[in-house]
Amino acid sequence: QVQLVESGGGLVQAGGSLSLSCAASGLTFSTYTMAWFRQAPGKEREFVATIAWSGGSTYYADSVKGRFTISRENAKNTVYLQMNSLKPEDTAVYYCAATRLVGTISRTRLYDYWGQGTQVTVSS
């Protein structure tokens, strides 16, 4: 049974930083493309960042480029999202996701497995 468990969310002031983690189990983590998505109240789930199985390739949504960094540790079956210079518009539930597809995968429907999400709230 595949499980993705996010942690690290919380409340932070604008301009602050948070680091999210997603621990995976039940899959061969090193063979999966991993990603972070987010969903704000009343909005559709949107792509944030993705990282290749090797960690050698990353891709970001324009809204977070230069502020967020995705990384992974295959030995720990964990993917991370470092979020700096946070803005109130970054407030959302953040989800990690996994897919066997290779490449820059930003569409939600192409991901096979999802975590339960972690809340990030940025106050102004």
Side-chain angles (χ1 to χ4, degrees):
Q1 180 182 359
V2 175
Q3 283 193 315
L4 302 178
V5 180
E6 301 96 336
S7 60
L11 174 64
V12 64
Q13 288 189 331
S17 299
L18 277 177
S19 181
L20 305 183
S21 299
C22 172
S25 61
L27 75 171
T28 306
F29 181 77
S30 61
T31 65
Y32 279 77
T33 297
M34 299 298 296
W36 288 94
F37 289 78
R38 66 187 182 186
Q39 188 167 18
K43 295 187 177 181
E44 292 189 352
R45 192 168 298 187
E46 66 173 3
F47 169 77
V48 174
T50 187
I51 186 166
W53 63 270
S54 66
S57 176
T58 58
Y59 178 70
Y60 298 90
D62 287 343
S63 58
V64 306
K65 201 173 296 182
R67 300 188 298 122
F68 291 10
T69 302
I70 188 171
S71 61
R72 65 190 295 163
E73 283 189 81
N74 286 344
K76 294 185 177 181
N77 286 3
T78 302
V79 62
Y80 306 97
L81 186 67
Q82 177 64 42
M83 305 184 294
N84 299 327
S85 301
L86 283 161
K87 305 175 181 180
E89 51 264 43
D90 294 318
T91 295
V93 177
Y94 283 70
Y95 299 90
C96 71
T99 179
R100 288 297 306 271
L101 297 176
V102 175
T104 303
I105 312 297
S106 61
R107 295 188 177 186
T108 56
R109 63 179 180 87
L110 297 180
Y111 281 82
D112 303 308
Y113 303 108
W114 293 84
Q116 82 290 347
T118 186
Q119 176 70 48
V120 171
T121 303
V122 184
S123 63
S124 57

